[in-house]
Amino acid sequence: KMRLDLLGKMRASDADPALVSKKLEEIGRLQVLLEKNIAMYILKVKENLTPEQREAYMNRVQQELRASIEKNGYGQVFQQQQ
């Protein structure tokens, strides 16, 4: 919803750069909060696993992240950073 709102602001013939910037900052803040919550959840799950389970779990997390990155068109960026 917020990204659609951002696009609406950008489509306006009299698009206000300050409003666009403010909406981007809001989206960014929420994205960081989401990423933090996911990371904390992963760490909590790891606490209850054996070393072998932790390794398998983290491999799965990495596979899912890689698939998500590639699906969303960032595959080339991901490959360049390896």
Side-chain angles (χ1 to χ4, degrees):
K1 167 118 171 70
M2 294 184 80
R3 291 186 190 273
L4 292 175
D5 187 38
L6 171 64
L7 183 58
K9 289 181 181 347
M10 293 170 59
R11 281 182 172 263
S13 59
D14 60 344
D16 182 349
L19 286 177
V20 169
S21 181
K22 183 177 179 182
K23 183 56 72 174
L24 284 168
E25 288 177 19
E26 185 178 357
I27 291 169
R29 181 182 56 77
L30 292 172
Q31 186 67 40
V32 167
L33 182 60
L34 176 63
E35 295 288 341
K36 283 182 180 180
N37 286 338
I38 291 169
M40 294 303 110
Y41 176 79
I42 290 169
L43 293 176
K44 283 189 183 278
V45 168
K46 279 179 51 180
E47 290 176 0
N48 299 310
L49 302 176
T50 66
E52 295 82 15
Q53 290 172 323
R54 275 193 294 261
E55 182 67 24
Y57 178 66
M58 291 309 298
N59 286 342
R60 180 62 185 218
V61 168
Q62 184 176 1
Q63 288 173 352
E64 292 294 325
L65 177 61
R66 182 182 308 239
S68 176
I69 289 170
E70 290 173 356
K71 177 183 172 192
N72 290 305
Y74 299 109
Q76 291 176 341
V77 173
F78 185 71
Q79 291 170 354
Q80 291 172 359
Q81 293 179 353
Q82 290 182 338

